[in-house]
Amino acid sequence: MPHAAPHAATVNGTRYSFPNLRTLLARATPLRSGDMLAGLAAESASERVAAQLALADLPLRTFLNEAVIPYEADEVTRLIIDSHDATAFAPIAHLTVGGFRDWLLAEATTETLTALRPGLTPEMLAAVSKICRLQDLVAIAAKCRVTSAFRNTIGLPGRLSVRLQPNHPIDDPRGVAASTLDGLLLGAGDAVIGVNPATDSVAATTTLLHMLDEVRARYAIPTQTCILAHVTTTLRCIEEGAPVDLVFQSIGGTEATNTSFGVNLALLAEAQQAALALNRGTVGQNVMYFETGQGSALSANAHHGVDQQTVEARAYAVARRFSPLLVNTVVGFIGPEYLYDGKQIIRAGLEDHFCGKLLGLPMGVDVCYTNHAEADQDDMDALLTLLGAAGVTYIMGVPGADDVMLSYQSTSFHDALYLRSTLNLRPAPEFEAWLERMGLATSTPDRIPAPMSPALVGLA
């Protein structure tokens, strides 16, 4: 691709110049510790504003002519460029980044955004997000509608789903079952009942897969289960006949990041086909589940000098290729080296949700932080509420909001009840009907309903 001329703007009498698109995007990014660690952040607020001004005047077509990572060197770049739909892009092809922001706020509708998806690249959306206020990120994302389906339908208007996350420090099936029962009683689990295994072994993964599938079948729960093991572990479980609903994998926005995770596009395609061949979905066949997070590329030294938010957006192009049931950013999990405090975590969560939804992903957010970050549960409440207003597809439900295996702070089952109640949101329709049948739909029960006796999950 041709080398672009430098980008520049003047602020307070000082002329700031940015030699290429990669540098312009990095300097325009709202402050975060990961970009400072990488040496990519603007050196002053004035330089950041200058970069944002230059970025606002940049034609959107630039992103089709200048790659932030060379086409020849990166399969994610090749995926982005080769899958771009020029016809879908045509209605906004004349706009600048700033003009695109104005169009998104003033003119875009749910229908036009749906039609536009194939014409957007992650870098375009990363760029426009950098010049958006938080309310812009909320207002624009709220216009998007993305649905996916397996045993229930995720992402319908007026709905909020919850991943039930019953992790256990030693993968004890009884401990996982107890947390699962706790979450179901509080209306969680319509996104997925998904366990992060403490050990990535085929034996442990298979044991948990069978246990969760037996619980799901015994209660006739219209949801899906997943053990978040490495994709190669899940493929081996499929080969051994385990009841696999969804294939999980952490992914990144560069080929090198994905190599550090032990995956590439071909392996993900193989896994998708293996899961589709099982034909376990009842209302849909979206069989992939991806997690992402700002900072993963930098932590693997695989960012190619690209700022962490732009790299994160590129990960969504990887996810989009496989029509997933679920995608979520684990926004504050990697630590304060990448997102230092509550303010940075809040903005990053809204940026990630914005970019994912506009690219057509069923986007969830793990509203979370680690104990050594300058953040607390008040910050998470703020982000949770903003995401609810933005139409987030799903959030996490962790017993007590404290994951005892991964040792980080997330959102609890009660946090999901708060958001549903406050914003008048409901679970996925098939799951909501199941809650009604089980006597769990109107309020938290004061006793476990007889059909959900702990004996049914081997706890008594």
Side-chain angles (χ1 to χ4, degrees), residues 100-113:
F100 184 37
R101 172 187 171 275
D102 293 343
W103 180 86
L104 287 169
L105 286 167
E107 299 182 42
T109 65
T110 299
E111 293 72 25
T112 57
L113 289 174

Side-chain angles (χ1 to χ4, degrees), residues 109-110 113-114 117 139-146 155 354 357-359 390-391:
T109 65
T110 299
L113 289 174
T114 300
R117 289 171 191 165
I140 296 167
K143 298 182 182 185
C144 297
R145 288 286 173 262
V146 181
F354 168 94
K357 287 291 280 291
L358 267 72
L359 284 172

Side-chain angles (χ1 to χ4, degrees), residues 120-418:
L120 296 174
T121 70
E123 292 88 349
M124 292 176 190
L125 292 172
V128 75
S129 75
K130 296 176 193 299
I131 62 169
C132 283
R133 295 172 57 182
L134 297 189
Q135 66 175 246
D136 300 339
L137 298 174
V138 170
I140 296 167
K143 298 182 182 185
C144 297
R145 288 286 173 262
V146 181
T147 60
S148 58
F150 190 76
R151 287 198 187 90
N152 58 29
T153 309
I154 307 294
L156 292 169
R159 306 282 176 167
L160 172 71
S161 294
V162 182
R163 171 189 161 187
L164 203 170
Q165 186 169 309
N167 294 347
H168 192 276
I170 59 170
D171 291 340
D172 180 2
R174 284 171 56 85
V176 172
S179 293
T180 299
L181 181 59
D182 184 21
L184 290 170
L185 289 169
L186 292 170
D190 52 336
V192 65
I193 303 173
V195 178
N196 296 90
T199 57
D200 201 281
S201 73
V202 173
T205 300
T206 298
T207 296
L208 291 173
L209 282 168
H210 280 291
M211 185 276 291
L212 288 179
D213 194 60
E214 289 167 7
V215 171
R216 180 198 61 77
R218 185 169 293 168
Y219 290 156
I221 309 170
T223 192
Q224 36 285 330
T225 64
C226 183
I227 307 303
L228 282 67
H230 191 268
V231 62
T232 54
T233 301
T234 304
L235 279 170
R236 289 182 60 192
C237 291
I238 291 174
E239 292 169 359
E240 295 186 7
V244 172
D245 289 343
L246 307 181
V247 174
F248 168 82
Q249 184 55 48
S250 295
I251 56 172
T254 71
E255 181 177 343
T257 306
N258 289 325
T259 298
S260 77
F261 291 149
V263 299
N264 54 36
L265 298 180
L267 178 59
L268 294 175
E270 177 187 350
Q272 182 189 33
Q273 291 306 309
L276 285 170
L278 299 177
N279 197 32
R280 291 175 58 83
T282 56
V283 299
Q285 289 296 327
N286 298 114
V287 297
M288 303 299 284
Y289 175 16
F290 296 116
E291 282 192 342
T292 65
Q294 288 193 30
S296 61
L298 176 57
S299 67
N301 194 29
H303 61 296
H304 296 275
V306 180
D307 70 272
Q308 67 183 38
Q309 190 253 335
T310 300
V311 173
E312 170 71 7
R314 285 168 54 94
Y316 305 150
V318 176
R320 181 169 64 171
R321 161 68 178 78
F322 299 100
S323 303
L325 179 76
L326 303 166
V327 180
N328 66 258
T329 171
V330 191
V331 66
F333 179 74
I334 301 181
E337 299 84 0
Y338 306 96
L339 295 168
Y340 179 72
D341 57 16
K343 182 174 182 176
Q344 293 184 14
I345 292 171
I346 288 169
R347 180 168 184 95
L350 293 171
E351 289 168 347
D352 294 351
H353 177 256
F354 168 94
C355 291
K357 287 291 280 291
L358 267 72
L359 284 172
L361 295 179
M363 198 70 192
V365 177
D366 190 345
V367 179
C368 64
Y369 64 102
T370 56
N371 286 320
H372 60 308
E374 290 294 323
D376 59 25
Q377 208 60 43
D378 286 343
D379 296 313
M380 299 305 103
D381 286 348
L383 177 54
L384 177 66
T385 305
L386 288 166
L387 285 167
V392 69
T393 302
Y394 68 102
I395 60 171
M396 308 301 122
V398 177
D402 186 0
D403 192 301
V404 296
M405 194 281 283
L406 293 172
S407 297
Y408 78 115
Q409 309 302 309
S410 185
T411 44
S412 71
F413 306 135
H414 292 88
D415 291 330
L417 291 176
Y418 145 73

Side-chain angles (χ1 to χ4, degrees), residues 49-72:
V49 169
Q52 290 171 341
L53 289 170
L55 184 61
D57 288 339
L58 188 74
L60 286 177
R61 289 186 180 276
T62 305
F63 296 96
L64 303 177
N65 298 320
E66 183 181 354
V68 295
I69 302 173
Y71 181 94
E72 300 77 11

